[in-house]
Amino acid sequence: MLQKPKSVKLRALRSPRKFGVAGRSCQEVLRKGCLRFQLPERGSRLCLYEDGTELTEDYFPSVPDNAELVLLTSGQAWQGYVSDIGRFLSAFHEPHAGLVQAAQQLLCDEQAPQRQRLLADLLHNVSQNIAAETRAEDPPWFEGLESRFQNKSGYLRYSCESRIRSYLREVSSYPSLVGAEAQEEFLRVLSSMCQKLRSVQYNGSYFDRGAKGGGRLCTPEGWFSCQGPFDMDSCLSRHSINPYSNRESRILFSTWNLDHIIEKKRTVIPTLVEAIKEQDGREVDWEYFYGLLFTSENLKLVHIVCHKKTIHKLNCDPNRIYKPQPRLKRKRPVRKR
């Protein structure tokens, strides 16, 4: 128990009110909070507002003064301030003055820079025509685009496909590096990858908000979050964008990168080339390299500020370069009768 009371800001999950509470222990703050919000103490707990970390007595002394906490009752969950963002996103199809006013109030009240950045992004886009999909519904969004693009999802699918196709062209330029003897095998691998890409439409669904959840990198409303840098925690809290909202956001989104975690030029393609040259009767697992080159298994969407030109120092998995060779069954000796 602390000698001096620690002051915190406390809110309940479904209450608009917020109280200043002081206590020498986590349990004391919890007890006072339950009393303030008239909630049952049994089964209740405290967590940090920013990231949802649940507080314990051991952790309580390290919590800074005036930290913002959320009081949860039994069965409730809190994932951090992103939970607040989710509530804003759910209202984007019907933006109204009350929503904007509430967000502006949050920006005025809070000091957390990460939260302010996200809410500012939301306020910037909430009045935009995010829900509109066709050229007729939002003509300004399509300014500068060819007339063949009649809906937003179609154009953004094309944008993603173009990036994936550029990676394929890059791989296609390497047959001369494997030597004459291995060229046939390289072309066979390349052909298999091409067929796979055509069957999934070059993974254009990654940018399509109408695609199924596992096939896209955005929310159903079209929000994308930075997935890098790879050697640090995700910068979800620093960069987000909705290219479906307005023309400026669409153009800005084109500067975001689909980066390879295991680098394409320095690692993946050279490893593929070497595997084909040194296969010695083994069969190269082209599907493993396909995943590294063209899918979200190894591709991450990264804001231009977080894009790193440095070597990531990650290598291909040596156990997945070649397909497993089938084990030969041993013949059992014939028993004499």
Side-chain angles (χ1 to χ4, degrees):
M1 182 175 292
L2 301 176
Q3 293 182 351
K4 181 181 178 182
K6 184 185 295 291
S7 299
V8 297
K9 298 174 184 177
L10 190 60
R11 65 170 65 193
L13 191 59
R14 292 187 174 89
S15 174
R17 305 181 69 186
K18 184 162 59 176
F19 293 101
V21 178
R24 290 183 172 86
S25 68
C26 182
Q27 188 61 37
E28 183 180 355
V29 172
L30 178 64
R31 179 176 55 80
K32 290 182 177 180
C34 289
L35 187 62
R36 285 284 187 180
F37 289 104
Q38 298 182 345
L39 295 172
E41 187 174 343
R42 185 175 181 180
S44 295
R45 61 199 189 281
L46 299 172
C47 66
L48 294 178
Y49 172 80
E50 276 199 317
D51 61 7
T53 299
E54 189 169 330
L55 263 63
T56 63
E57 291 293 353
D58 291 340
Y59 186 69
F60 184 73
S62 65
V63 175
D65 284 336
N66 295 314
E68 187 168 356
L69 307 181
V70 179
L71 196 162
L72 302 174
T73 57
S74 179
Q76 292 181 336
W78 181 256
Q79 303 300 320
Y81 52 78
V82 175
S83 299
D84 264 356
I85 301 310
R87 290 203 290 272
F88 279 107
L89 290 177
S90 67
F92 271 1
H93 289 296
E94 297 180 4
H96 51 81
L99 174 65
V100 177
Q101 183 179 1
Q104 288 173 334
Q105 185 63 39
L106 286 170
L107 280 173
C108 294
D109 289 348
E110 303 305 328
Q111 298 300 318
Q114 295 177 341
R115 186 185 185 200
Q116 288 184 349
R117 176 56 184 268
L118 275 177
L119 289 174
D121 285 346
L122 295 180
L123 283 174
H124 175 71
N125 288 281
V126 71
S127 61
Q128 302 299 327
N129 203 2
I130 291 178
E133 178 65 26
T134 67
R135 184 182 284 266
E137 294 171 327
D138 192 358
W141 193 92
F142 291 86
E143 288 181 9
L145 298 182
E146 298 175 31
S147 59
R148 62 189 174 108
F149 297 114
Q150 292 299 312
N151 60 73
K152 296 178 181 180
S153 295
Y155 172 75
L156 287 166
R157 284 188 71 102
Y158 167 79
S159 173
C160 186
E161 290 175 14
S162 298
R163 300 188 193 206
I164 300 297
R165 286 176 185 272
S166 71
Y167 299 154
L168 179 61
R169 287 194 296 272
E170 195 170 340
V171 179
S172 302
S173 66
Y174 276 78
S176 60
L177 299 181
V178 299
E181 296 179 359
Q183 278 190 18
E184 184 177 348
E185 175 63 11
F186 188 95
L187 293 174
R188 184 193 70 79
V189 168
L190 186 62
S191 175
S192 297
M193 290 182 177
C194 289
Q195 291 179 25
K196 179 73 171 179
L197 282 172
R198 283 195 292 269
S199 71
V200 295
Q201 297 180 311
Y202 295 88
N203 289 321
S205 63
Y206 287 164
F207 289 0
D208 183 358
R209 65 180 176 182
K212 293 182 179 180
R216 52 178 161 79
L217 300 179
C218 62
T219 69
E221 296 80 15
W223 281 91
F224 293 83
S225 295
C226 180
Q227 297 175 304
F230 312 130
D231 55 350
M232 299 170 60
D233 293 335
S234 170
C235 69
L236 166 68
S237 58
R238 294 194 293 274
H239 300 293
S240 60
I241 191 171
N242 191 328
Y244 288 85
S245 62
N246 52 51
R247 178 174 177 269
E248 291 73 20
S249 294
R250 166 177 64 79
I251 295 172
L252 184 60
F253 183 64
S254 66
T255 67
W256 285 45
N257 296 283
L258 264 179
D259 272 2
H260 292 80
I261 303 175
I262 303 176
E263 290 187 287
K264 176 177 80 274
K265 285 185 177 180
R266 291 189 177 98
T267 305
V268 180
I269 296 179
T271 302
L272 173 61
V273 170
E274 191 65 21
I276 290 174
K277 291 165 63 176
E278 305 293 334
Q279 62 185 130
D280 191 25
R282 296 168 292 181
E283 184 178 357
V284 173
D285 191 345
W286 68 266
E287 290 179 294
Y288 169 60
F289 288 98
Y290 167 87
L292 295 181
L293 289 166
F294 308 115
T295 77
S296 57
E297 174 186 342
N298 191 47
L299 286 172
K300 300 299 175 185
L301 187 64
V302 181
H303 185 276
I304 189 170
V305 173
C306 298
H307 178 62
K308 291 196 169 186
K309 299 294 185 181
T310 55
I311 299 175
H312 300 159
K313 298 180 181 179
L314 295 175
N315 297 314
C316 299
D317 185 348
N319 297 317
R320 298 184 62 187
I321 292 175
Y322 298 103
K323 290 185 177 181
Q325 293 181 319
R327 295 182 179 179
L328 297 176
K329 295 183 178 180
R330 294 181 180 180
K331 292 184 179 180
R332 296 181 178 179
V334 180
R335 293 183 179 180
K336 295 182 180 181
R337 294 181 178 178

